[in-house]
Amino acid sequence: MWAQWLSGLEFLPDSNLSMAQSNVSSGHMQETIGRIRQRVLSRLALQKQLAALEAGCVPMESVCTCLFPNKTFCRLSSWKRLTLEDYEVIQSNKCYLESGLVKDSDYLFLLEAERGSAKLKASVVISPNYPSTAPLFSVEVTWKTTRTNVTDENIAAMESELNLHYKELLTEASPCQLLANQVQRLLVCFDVYIDTDSDPDPDEGPSEFSRERVYCRHVRGPNRIKPYKYNVHMGIFLHR
């Protein structure tokens, strides 16, 4: 459609009108150029973030640091490309594949993070229409056992923080920083997941992880959901 606008053509596909009109072309030229420019800037920003993630660093813009706690205790250990075949064999991705949310044109990546013996893997789907279409995350945690969005409702809640509440991570000054902000939120949620886990068995000795943060409540409700929402004004984690 934008190509028709740029050429001065504005008619339905089955219309017999084929005469280009200069006033139609000029009327849409500025909008079209603006969209192309924004697409190029978005792609450059995405490539910059991908290069930093591959180097094991989460690139944070200064305007976005206030969205997160000052310190995270887990670390990003790996970021690499996935093929569609690789993505399909990961169990936690099944629901997104069946829902048709993953397309052949999407870019697929695997993120790995760790905190001591606790390991996290996240499959990341990035649309060519980024950031208008937010990246999609599916998470798997290996700690004592393997936990996914099917077996652990807190993993599903963690995914919701990234896939449903991502608009909280968008800033007017840096809208193309969404991917890095989602990755940072994932690391923060992983910390919360570990910190608020049930108390260790005394027979197993001291806990591997020291609790550096104070939480008003570790879990809430019959599903025992953890407090993933970070209140930037109070500096504490709350339940949704």
Side-chain angles (χ1 to χ4, degrees):
M1 180 62 73
W2 68 267
Q4 290 181 354
W5 288 345
L6 193 59
S7 302
L9 301 174
E10 191 175 59
F11 50 87
L12 296 175
D14 58 351
S15 173
N16 294 324
L17 178 63
S18 59
M19 182 69 68
Q21 302 178 33
S22 60
N23 63 323
V24 174
S25 177
S26 60
H28 293 289
M29 178 69 74
Q30 183 176 358
E31 179 183 356
T32 302
I33 297 300
R35 290 184 180 183
I36 293 174
R37 181 177 182 274
Q38 185 57 48
R39 184 67 174 264
V40 171
L41 293 175
S42 299
R43 186 56 57 88
L44 290 174
L46 176 59
Q47 290 299 325
K48 181 179 178 181
Q49 292 171 76
L50 292 176
L53 291 170
E54 288 177 2
C57 173
V58 182
M60 296 300 302
E61 297 285 345
S62 58
V63 295
C64 301
T65 55
C66 62
L67 300 174
F68 309 100
N70 293 330
K71 184 178 181 181
T72 55
F73 302 99
C74 61
R75 69 177 188 88
L76 175 67
S77 57
S78 175
W79 175 275
K80 59 185 179 182
R81 286 291 298 265
L82 280 180
T83 65
L84 182 59
E85 291 74 18
D86 293 333
Y87 185 91
E88 290 174 340
V89 300
I90 300 175
Q91 186 63 29
S92 58
N93 298 335
K94 184 177 180 181
C95 61
Y96 299 113
L97 288 165
E98 292 177 345
S99 301
L101 297 176
V102 183
K103 301 177 177 59
D104 293 338
S105 58
D106 292 335
Y107 307 106
L108 308 175
F109 296 89
L110 179 66
L111 175 156
E112 296 182 359
E114 60 184 25
R115 181 178 174 186
S117 62
K119 313 294 182 184
L120 176 145
K121 291 183 179 181
S123 301
V124 186
V125 180
I126 302 178
S127 168
N129 200 33
Y130 172 91
S132 298
T133 300
L136 181 70
F137 287 72
S138 59
V139 179
E140 176 184 296
V141 171
T142 302
W143 183 36
K144 302 177 184 176
T145 60
T146 298
R147 315 172 189 192
T148 69
N149 50 22
V150 176
T151 62
D152 189 335
E153 294 195 36
N154 271 298
I155 300 296
M158 191 187 303
E159 292 180 0
S160 296
E161 290 294 320
L162 305 169
N163 299 330
L164 299 181
H165 304 293
Y166 64 87
K167 290 185 178 180
E168 300 172 352
L169 304 175
L170 292 170
T171 62
E172 184 176 349
S174 188
C176 298
Q177 186 71 11
L178 177 59
L179 173 63
N181 289 348
Q182 285 178 297
V183 171
Q184 184 66 15
R185 172 173 277 187
L186 175 60
L187 298 180
V188 171
C189 288
F190 188 32
D191 276 338
V192 173
Y193 185 90
I194 297 298
D195 288 343
T196 58
D197 197 67
S198 58
D199 293 330
D201 188 337
D203 295 335
E204 297 180 357
S207 173
E208 177 185 357
F209 306 105
S210 59
R211 290 176 177 172
E212 303 287 345
R213 299 191 181 103
V214 176
Y215 300 90
C216 295
R217 297 178 65 179
H218 283 192
V219 295
R220 188 182 70 178
N223 296 331
R224 300 184 65 79
I225 299 300
K226 300 173 183 293
Y228 289 125
K229 179 178 173 61
Y230 181 67
N231 186 303
V232 298
H233 302 293
M234 303 174 63
I236 60 175
F237 289 91
L238 303 172
H239 291 87
R240 289 193 181 274

Tab-separated table of all heavy atoms in Angstrom, residues 109-165:
chain	number	residue	atom	x	y	z
A	109	PHE	N	16.410	-16.579	18.918
A	109	PHE	CA	17.630	-16.564	19.717
A	109	PHE	C	17.419	-17.387	20.985
A	109	PHE	O	16.291	-17.608	21.431
A	109	PHE	CB	18.014	-15.130	20.109
A	109	PHE	CG	18.350	-14.245	18.946
A	109	PHE	CD1	17.351	-13.522	18.298
A	109	PHE	CD2	19.651	-14.138	18.484
A	109	PHE	CE1	17.651	-12.705	17.220
A	109	PHE	CE2	19.961	-13.333	17.409
A	109	PHE	CZ	18.957	-12.615	16.776
A	110	LEU	N	18.542	-17.817	21.558
A	110	LEU	CA	18.527	-18.524	22.847
A	110	LEU	C	19.380	-17.748	23.832
A	110	LEU	O	20.558	-17.499	23.596
A	110	LEU	CB	19.064	-19.944	22.701
A	110	LEU	CG	19.102	-20.761	24.004
A	110	LEU	CD1	17.684	-21.023	24.506
A	110	LEU	CD2	19.853	-22.082	23.810
A	111	LEU	N	18.758	-17.359	24.932
A	111	LEU	CA	19.439	-16.655	26.019
A	111	LEU	C	19.691	-17.631	27.147
A	111	LEU	O	18.810	-18.431	27.482
A	111	LEU	CB	18.566	-15.498	26.494
A	111	LEU	CG	18.995	-14.662	27.697
A	111	LEU	CD1	18.346	-13.272	27.618
A	111	LEU	CD2	18.606	-15.304	29.047
A	112	GLU	N	20.874	-17.566	27.752
A	112	GLU	CA	21.188	-18.373	28.917
A	112	GLU	C	21.722	-17.462	30.021
A	112	GLU	O	22.536	-16.571	29.759
A	112	GLU	CB	22.217	-19.454	28.584
A	112	GLU	CG	21.709	-20.470	27.574
A	112	GLU	CD	22.727	-21.559	27.280
A	112	GLU	OE1	23.839	-21.505	27.848
A	112	GLU	OE2	22.425	-22.463	26.480
A	113	ALA	N	21.223	-17.687	31.239
A	113	ALA	CA	21.679	-16.925	32.403
A	113	ALA	C	21.870	-17.892	33.554
A	113	ALA	O	21.316	-18.994	33.565
A	113	ALA	CB	20.665	-15.840	32.765
A	114	GLU	N	22.632	-17.468	34.545
A	114	GLU	CA	22.895	-18.356	35.678
A	114	GLU	C	23.119	-17.557	36.954
A	114	GLU	O	23.528	-16.395	36.921
A	114	GLU	CB	24.117	-19.232	35.397
A	114	GLU	CG	25.387	-18.463	35.149
A	114	GLU	CD	26.565	-19.366	34.782
A	114	GLU	OE1	26.312	-20.480	34.260
A	114	GLU	OE2	27.716	-18.951	35.010
A	115	ARG	N	22.814	-18.219	38.036
A	115	ARG	CA	23.118	-17.701	39.368
A	115	ARG	C	23.465	-18.907	40.231
A	115	ARG	O	22.587	-19.646	40.665
A	115	ARG	CB	21.938	-16.939	39.957
A	115	ARG	CG	22.216	-16.366	41.349
A	115	ARG	CD	21.032	-15.574	41.865
A	115	ARG	NE	21.239	-15.151	43.247
A	115	ARG	CZ	20.326	-14.549	43.993
A	115	ARG	NH1	19.137	-14.255	43.467
A	115	ARG	NH2	20.587	-14.215	45.249
A	116	GLY	N	24.739	-19.119	40.411
A	116	GLY	CA	25.178	-20.316	41.111
A	116	GLY	C	24.777	-21.558	40.336
A	116	GLY	O	25.017	-21.669	39.135
A	117	SER	N	24.125	-22.484	41.024
A	117	SER	CA	23.706	-23.733	40.386
A	117	SER	C	22.385	-23.592	39.636
A	117	SER	O	21.966	-24.518	38.941
A	117	SER	CB	23.571	-24.836	41.442
A	117	SER	OG	22.571	-24.494	42.392
A	118	ALA	N	21.720	-22.448	39.764
A	118	ALA	CA	20.446	-22.214	39.081
A	118	ALA	C	20.710	-21.695	37.668
A	118	ALA	O	21.456	-20.733	37.484
A	118	ALA	CB	19.587	-21.220	39.858
A	119	LYS	N	20.095	-22.347	36.681
A	119	LYS	CA	20.295	-21.984	35.285
A	119	LYS	C	18.962	-21.598	34.662
A	119	LYS	O	17.924	-22.197	34.944
A	119	LYS	CB	20.904	-23.148	34.490
A	119	LYS	CG	22.089	-23.833	35.171
A	119	LYS	CD	23.290	-22.931	35.294
A	119	LYS	CE	24.462	-23.677	35.946
A	119	LYS	NZ	25.629	-22.775	36.168
A	120	LEU	N	19.007	-20.618	33.794
A	120	LEU	CA	17.813	-20.174	33.076
A	120	LEU	C	18.109	-20.160	31.582
A	120	LEU	O	19.175	-19.717	31.157
A	120	LEU	CB	17.383	-18.781	33.536
A	120	LEU	CG	16.190	-18.140	32.815
A	120	LEU	CD1	15.351	-17.313	33.794
A	120	LEU	CD2	16.624	-17.259	31.641
A	121	LYS	N	17.150	-20.661	30.806
A	121	LYS	CA	17.210	-20.575	29.351
A	121	LYS	C	15.928	-19.905	28.878
A	121	LYS	O	14.840	-20.214	29.367
A	121	LYS	CB	17.338	-21.960	28.711
A	121	LYS	CG	18.679	-22.647	28.967
A	121	LYS	CD	18.748	-23.982	28.227
A	121	LYS	CE	20.089	-24.662	28.450
A	121	LYS	NZ	20.184	-25.961	27.720
A	122	ALA	N	16.080	-19.011	27.917
A	122	ALA	CA	14.912	-18.331	27.357
A	122	ALA	C	15.031	-18.295	25.847
A	122	ALA	O	16.043	-17.847	25.299
A	122	ALA	CB	14.797	-16.910	27.911
A	123	SER	N	13.999	-18.781	25.174
A	123	SER	CA	13.917	-18.662	23.720
A	123	SER	C	13.279	-17.309	23.406
A	123	SER	O	12.252	-16.953	23.991
A	123	SER	CB	13.082	-19.789	23.130
A	123	SER	OG	13.641	-21.046	23.449
A	124	VAL	N	13.882	-16.571	22.490
A	124	VAL	CA	13.435	-15.210	22.181
A	124	VAL	C	13.076	-15.121	20.701
A	124	VAL	O	13.875	-15.495	19.844
A	124	VAL	CB	14.520	-14.173	22.522
A	124	VAL	CG1	13.985	-12.759	22.338
A	124	VAL	CG2	15.037	-14.372	23.946
A	125	VAL	N	11.873	-14.638	20.431
A	125	VAL	CA	11.394	-14.457	19.059
A	125	VAL	C	11.307	-12.965	18.783
A	125	VAL	O	10.598	-12.238	19.484
A	125	VAL	CB	10.009	-15.104	18.866
A	125	VAL	CG1	9.526	-14.910	17.429
A	125	VAL	CG2	10.052	-16.580	19.229
A	126	ILE	N	12.046	-12.501	17.763
A	126	ILE	CA	12.053	-11.086	17.410
A	126	ILE	C	11.458	-10.915	16.017
A	126	ILE	O	11.936	-11.503	15.053
A	126	ILE	CB	13.477	-10.506	17.459
A	126	ILE	CG1	14.076	-10.695	18.862
A	126	ILE	CG2	13.473	-9.022	17.080
A	126	ILE	CD1	15.497	-10.185	18.988
A	127	SER	N	10.421	-10.130	15.932
A	127	SER	CA	9.729	-9.906	14.664
A	127	SER	C	10.492	-8.900	13.805
A	127	SER	O	11.141	-7.995	14.335
A	127	SER	CB	8.316	-9.368	14.940
A	127	SER	OG	7.711	-8.883	13.760
A	128	PRO	N	10.402	-9.032	12.474
A	128	PRO	CA	10.982	-8.001	11.603
A	128	PRO	C	10.354	-6.630	11.835
A	128	PRO	O	10.928	-5.606	11.473
A	128	PRO	CB	10.667	-8.512	10.193
A	128	PRO	CG	10.481	-9.982	10.353
A	128	PRO	CD	9.864	-10.160	11.707
A	129	ASN	N	9.181	-6.624	12.477
A	129	ASN	CA	8.470	-5.375	12.753
A	129	ASN	C	8.833	-4.784	14.110
A	129	ASN	O	8.144	-3.905	14.608
A	129	ASN	CB	6.960	-5.618	12.689
A	129	ASN	CG	6.180	-4.329	12.491
A	129	ASN	OD1	6.640	-3.405	11.836
A	129	ASN	ND2	5.001	-4.273	13.076
A	130	TYR	N	9.930	-5.268	14.719
A	130	TYR	CA	10.405	-4.729	16.000
A	130	TYR	C	10.692	-3.232	15.855
A	130	TYR	O	11.230	-2.807	14.833
A	130	TYR	CB	11.681	-5.465	16.414
A	130	TYR	CG	12.382	-4.879	17.626
A	130	TYR	CD1	12.080	-5.327	18.892
A	130	TYR	CD2	13.348	-3.883	17.497
A	130	TYR	CE1	12.715	-4.796	20.008
A	130	TYR	CE2	13.988	-3.349	18.594
A	130	TYR	CZ	13.660	-3.807	19.848
A	130	TYR	OH	14.296	-3.273	20.956
A	131	PRO	N	10.354	-2.396	16.867
A	131	PRO	CA	9.760	-2.722	18.167
A	131	PRO	C	8.234	-2.613	18.207
A	131	PRO	O	7.656	-2.715	19.281
A	131	PRO	CB	10.396	-1.670	19.076
A	131	PRO	CG	10.498	-0.467	18.183
A	131	PRO	CD	10.820	-0.997	16.808
A	132	SER	N	7.599	-2.361	17.033
A	132	SER	CA	6.141	-2.289	17.028
A	132	SER	C	5.537	-3.599	17.515
A	132	SER	O	4.496	-3.618	18.189
A	132	SER	CB	5.636	-1.963	15.616
A	132	SER	OG	6.107	-0.695	15.193
A	133	THR	N	6.169	-4.709	17.147
A	133	THR	CA	5.817	-6.018	17.695
A	133	THR	C	6.886	-6.395	18.708
A	133	THR	O	8.068	-6.486	18.370
A	133	THR	CB	5.750	-7.083	16.584
A	133	THR	OG1	4.767	-6.699	15.622
A	133	THR	CG2	5.399	-8.441	17.169
A	134	ALA	N	6.495	-6.589	19.951
A	134	ALA	CA	7.456	-6.841	21.029
A	134	ALA	C	8.045	-8.248	20.910
A	134	ALA	O	7.365	-9.182	20.476
A	134	ALA	CB	6.779	-6.692	22.389
A	135	PRO	N	9.313	-8.422	21.280
A	135	PRO	CA	9.902	-9.766	21.327
A	135	PRO	C	9.113	-10.685	22.258
A	135	PRO	O	8.543	-10.243	23.259
A	135	PRO	CB	11.311	-9.503	21.876
A	135	PRO	CG	11.624	-8.110	21.444
A	135	PRO	CD	10.322	-7.373	21.547
A	136	LEU	N	9.089	-11.970	21.899
A	136	LEU	CA	8.338	-12.976	22.645
A	136	LEU	C	9.314	-13.908	23.359
A	136	LEU	O	10.224	-14.457	22.740
A	136	LEU	CB	7.459	-13.769	21.685
A	136	LEU	CG	6.579	-14.867	22.269
A	136	LEU	CD1	5.451	-14.258	23.101
A	136	LEU	CD2	5.998	-15.726	21.154
A	137	PHE	N	9.116	-14.091	24.671
A	137	PHE	CA	10.015	-14.901	25.489
A	137	PHE	C	9.302	-16.147	26.007
A	137	PHE	O	8.144	-16.079	26.418
A	137	PHE	CB	10.501	-14.102	26.709
A	137	PHE	CG	11.508	-13.033	26.393
A	137	PHE	CD1	11.144	-11.877	25.729
A	137	PHE	CD2	12.833	-13.178	26.787
A	137	PHE	CE1	12.071	-10.886	25.445
A	137	PHE	CE2	13.778	-12.188	26.523
A	137	PHE	CZ	13.392	-11.051	25.845
A	138	SER	N	10.006	-17.279	25.991
A	138	SER	CA	9.566	-18.483	26.702
A	138	SER	C	10.731	-18.946	27.568
A	138	SER	O	11.880	-18.939	27.112
A	138	SER	CB	9.118	-19.579	25.736
A	138	SER	OG	10.169	-19.938	24.860
A	139	VAL	N	10.433	-19.330	28.794
A	139	VAL	CA	11.469	-19.498	29.820
A	139	VAL	C	11.482	-20.919	30.364
A	139	VAL	O	10.437	-21.553	30.527
A	139	VAL	CB	11.246	-18.493	30.979
A	139	VAL	CG1	12.303	-18.673	32.070
A	139	VAL	CG2	11.259	-17.060	30.452
A	140	GLU	N	12.692	-21.393	30.648
A	140	GLU	CA	12.892	-22.686	31.313
A	140	GLU	C	13.964	-22.505	32.388
A	140	GLU	O	15.029	-21.943	32.117
A	140	GLU	CB	13.341	-23.735	30.301
A	140	GLU	CG	13.682	-25.087	30.892
A	140	GLU	CD	14.204	-26.052	29.849
A	140	GLU	OE1	13.424	-26.395	28.934
A	140	GLU	OE2	15.385	-26.450	29.934
A	141	VAL	N	13.682	-22.947	33.596
A	141	VAL	CA	14.621	-22.841	34.710
A	141	VAL	C	15.031	-24.238	35.155
A	141	VAL	O	14.181	-25.116	35.338
A	141	VAL	CB	14.001	-22.062	35.898
A	141	VAL	CG1	14.903	-22.161	37.135
A	141	VAL	CG2	13.768	-20.610	35.520
A	142	THR	N	16.333	-24.426	35.304
A	142	THR	CA	16.854	-25.680	35.832
A	142	THR	C	17.510	-25.393	37.172
A	142	THR	O	18.553	-24.739	37.245
A	142	THR	CB	17.884	-26.306	34.869
A	142	THR	OG1	17.270	-26.521	33.600
A	142	THR	CG2	18.387	-27.632	35.414
A	143	TRP	N	16.845	-25.859	38.222
A	143	TRP	CA	17.352	-25.684	39.590
A	143	TRP	C	16.692	-26.762	40.454
A	143	TRP	O	15.516	-26.699	40.723
A	143	TRP	CB	17.039	-24.287	40.121
A	143	TRP	CG	17.595	-24.029	41.481
A	143	TRP	CD1	18.781	-24.463	41.991
A	143	TRP	CD2	16.959	-23.280	42.525
A	143	TRP	NE1	18.939	-24.022	43.278
A	143	TRP	CE2	17.840	-23.290	43.628
A	143	TRP	CE3	15.763	-22.589	42.623
A	143	TRP	CZ2	17.541	-22.643	44.829
A	143	TRP	CZ3	15.467	-21.941	43.811
A	143	TRP	CH2	16.350	-21.966	44.896
A	144	LYS	N	17.470	-27.754	40.807
A	144	LYS	CA	16.967	-28.951	41.492
A	144	LYS	C	16.168	-29.815	40.509
A	144	LYS	O	16.371	-31.016	40.422
A	144	LYS	CB	16.127	-28.587	42.712
A	144	LYS	CG	16.869	-27.741	43.745
A	144	LYS	CD	15.955	-27.344	44.888
A	144	LYS	CE	16.643	-26.423	45.883
A	144	LYS	NZ	15.732	-25.961	46.950
A	145	THR	N	15.213	-29.177	39.788
A	145	THR	CA	14.477	-29.866	38.725
A	145	THR	C	14.367	-28.906	37.542
A	145	THR	O	14.729	-27.733	37.650
A	145	THR	CB	13.055	-30.268	39.169
A	145	THR	OG1	12.331	-29.078	39.522
A	145	THR	CG2	13.104	-31.218	40.365
A	146	THR	N	13.870	-29.392	36.413
A	146	THR	CA	13.625	-28.532	35.255
A	146	THR	C	12.199	-28.016	35.323
A	146	THR	O	11.251	-28.792	35.463
A	146	THR	CB	13.852	-29.303	33.941
A	146	THR	OG1	15.211	-29.730	33.879
A	146	THR	CG2	13.558	-28.414	32.744
A	147	ARG	N	12.033	-26.716	35.217
A	147	ARG	CA	10.727	-26.088	35.389
A	147	ARG	C	10.403	-25.247	34.159
A	147	ARG	O	11.241	-24.481	33.685
A	147	ARG	CB	10.737	-25.206	36.645
A	147	ARG	CG	11.394	-25.884	37.847
A	147	ARG	CD	11.564	-24.956	39.015
A	147	ARG	NE	12.374	-25.550	40.081
A	147	ARG	CZ	12.486	-25.046	41.306
A	147	ARG	NH1	11.846	-23.944	41.624
A	147	ARG	NH2	13.241	-25.654	42.208
A	148	THR	N	9.180	-25.382	33.657
A	148	THR	CA	8.737	-24.644	32.477
A	148	THR	C	7.399	-23.972	32.761
A	148	THR	O	6.822	-24.124	33.851
A	148	THR	CB	8.597	-25.572	31.259
A	148	THR	OG1	7.484	-26.461	31.478
A	148	THR	CG2	9.863	-26.402	31.053
A	149	ASN	N	6.860	-23.281	31.747
A	149	ASN	CA	5.556	-22.635	31.901
A	149	ASN	C	4.423	-23.645	32.044
A	149	ASN	O	3.316	-23.282	32.427
A	149	ASN	CB	5.285	-21.706	30.712
A	149	ASN	CG	5.517	-22.391	29.372
A	149	ASN	OD1	5.481	-23.622	29.265
A	149	ASN	ND2	5.756	-21.600	28.344
A	150	VAL	N	4.694	-24.906	31.751
A	150	VAL	CA	3.678	-25.952	31.894
A	150	VAL	C	3.679	-26.517	33.309
A	150	VAL	O	2.614	-26.786	33.885
A	150	VAL	CB	3.920	-27.085	30.872
A	150	VAL	CG1	2.929	-28.225	31.077
A	150	VAL	CG2	3.831	-26.546	29.453
A	151	THR	N	4.837	-26.671	33.887
A	151	THR	CA	4.960	-27.331	35.187
A	151	THR	C	5.025	-26.357	36.368
A	151	THR	O	4.869	-26.773	37.514
A	151	THR	CB	6.218	-28.207	35.220
A	151	THR	OG1	7.387	-27.386	35.033
A	151	THR	CG2	6.176	-29.257	34.121
A	152	ASP	N	5.247	-25.080	36.128
A	152	ASP	CA	5.426	-24.111	37.210
A	152	ASP	C	4.717	-22.810	36.830
A	152	ASP	O	5.094	-22.138	35.873
A	152	ASP	CB	6.924	-23.858	37.438
A	152	ASP	CG	7.198	-23.027	38.688
A	152	ASP	OD1	6.309	-22.266	39.120
A	152	ASP	OD2	8.317	-23.126	39.225
A	153	GLU	N	3.686	-22.449	37.592
A	153	GLU	CA	2.927	-21.246	37.272
A	153	GLU	C	3.745	-19.984	37.476
A	153	GLU	O	3.438	-18.929	36.899
A	153	GLU	CB	1.643	-21.197	38.112
A	153	GLU	CG	0.666	-22.305	37.759
A	153	GLU	CD	-0.713	-22.043	38.320
A	153	GLU	OE1	-1.130	-20.871	38.352
A	153	GLU	OE2	-1.366	-23.016	38.729
A	154	ASN	N	4.784	-20.051	38.288
A	154	ASN	CA	5.635	-18.877	38.465
A	154	ASN	C	6.510	-18.625	37.240
A	154	ASN	O	6.922	-17.487	36.992
A	154	ASN	CB	6.496	-19.027	39.716
A	154	ASN	CG	5.797	-18.486	40.949
A	154	ASN	OD1	5.484	-17.304	41.024
A	154	ASN	ND2	5.522	-19.359	41.912
A	155	ILE	N	6.817	-19.671	36.480
A	155	ILE	CA	7.518	-19.480	35.212
A	155	ILE	C	6.585	-18.811	34.212
A	155	ILE	O	6.975	-17.891	33.484
A	155	ILE	CB	8.038	-20.812	34.656
A	155	ILE	CG1	9.020	-21.462	35.639
A	155	ILE	CG2	8.700	-20.600	33.307
A	155	ILE	CD1	10.286	-20.676	35.866
A	156	ALA	N	5.327	-19.249	34.185
A	156	ALA	CA	4.334	-18.618	33.310
A	156	ALA	C	4.130	-17.149	33.692
A	156	ALA	O	3.995	-16.282	32.818
A	156	ALA	CB	3.014	-19.380	33.382
A	157	ALA	N	4.131	-16.863	35.000
A	157	ALA	CA	3.983	-15.481	35.448
A	157	ALA	C	5.198	-14.647	35.053
A	157	ALA	O	5.068	-13.463	34.707
A	157	ALA	CB	3.790	-15.453	36.964
A	158	MET	N	6.381	-15.257	35.087
A	158	MET	CA	7.592	-14.562	34.657
A	158	MET	C	7.494	-14.208	33.175
A	158	MET	O	7.862	-13.095	32.764
A	158	MET	CB	8.815	-15.449	34.923
A	158	MET	CG	10.147	-14.733	34.752
A	158	MET	SD	11.583	-15.844	34.885
A	158	MET	CE	11.348	-16.562	36.508
A	159	GLU	N	7.007	-15.130	32.364
A	159	GLU	CA	6.833	-14.863	30.942
A	159	GLU	C	5.824	-13.739	30.713
A	159	GLU	O	6.000	-12.911	29.809
A	159	GLU	CB	6.388	-16.127	30.218
A	159	GLU	CG	7.457	-17.212	30.163
A	159	GLU	CD	6.984	-18.461	29.443
A	159	GLU	OE1	5.814	-18.478	28.997
A	159	GLU	OE2	7.776	-19.413	29.306
A	160	SER	N	4.790	-13.686	31.543
A	160	SER	CA	3.795	-12.620	31.413
A	160	SER	C	4.403	-11.250	31.666
A	160	SER	O	4.019	-10.259	31.026
A	160	SER	CB	2.634	-12.856	32.388
A	160	SER	OG	1.930	-14.042	32.070
A	161	GLU	N	5.345	-11.184	32.591
A	161	GLU	CA	6.021	-9.915	32.862
A	161	GLU	C	6.720	-9.386	31.608
A	161	GLU	O	6.822	-8.179	31.397
A	161	GLU	CB	7.039	-10.090	33.991
A	161	GLU	CG	6.441	-10.309	35.352
A	161	GLU	CD	5.668	-9.095	35.852
A	161	GLU	OE1	6.150	-7.955	35.629
A	161	GLU	OE2	4.593	-9.273	36.433
A	162	LEU	N	7.212	-10.297	30.786
A	162	LEU	CA	7.948	-9.913	29.578
A	162	LEU	C	7.031	-9.740	28.374
A	162	LEU	O	7.191	-8.794	27.600
A	162	LEU	CB	9.000	-10.981	29.263
A	162	LEU	CG	9.986	-11.302	30.390
A	162	LEU	CD1	10.775	-12.550	30.046
A	162	LEU	CD2	10.912	-10.143	30.653
A	163	ASN	N	6.071	-10.652	28.213
A	163	ASN	CA	5.265	-10.699	27.000
A	163	ASN	C	3.977	-9.881	27.067
A	163	ASN	O	3.463	-9.453	26.029
A	163	ASN	CB	4.909	-12.150	26.655
A	163	ASN	CG	6.139	-13.005	26.408
A	163	ASN	OD1	7.166	-12.514	25.963
A	163	ASN	ND2	6.030	-14.296	26.714
A	164	LEU	N	3.441	-9.669	28.270
A	164	LEU	CA	2.186	-8.935	28.419
A	164	LEU	C	2.373	-7.535	28.985
A	164	LEU	O	1.663	-6.599	28.601
A	164	LEU	CB	1.218	-9.714	29.316
A	164	LEU	CG	0.801	-11.099	28.826
A	164	LEU	CD1	-0.187	-11.734	29.799
A	164	LEU	CD2	0.197	-11.028	27.427
A	165	HIS	N	3.329	-7.371	29.886
A	165	HIS	CA	3.520	-6.083	30.561
A	165	HIS	C	4.737	-5.332	30.026
A	165	HIS	O	5.334	-4.517	30.724
A	165	HIS	CB	3.658	-6.307	32.069
A	165	HIS	CG	2.499	-7.041	32.686
A	165	HIS	ND1	1.232	-6.501	32.760
A	165	HIS	CD2	2.412	-8.282	33.233
A	165	HIS	CE1	0.410	-7.370	33.331
A	165	HIS	NE2	1.096	-8.462	33.627
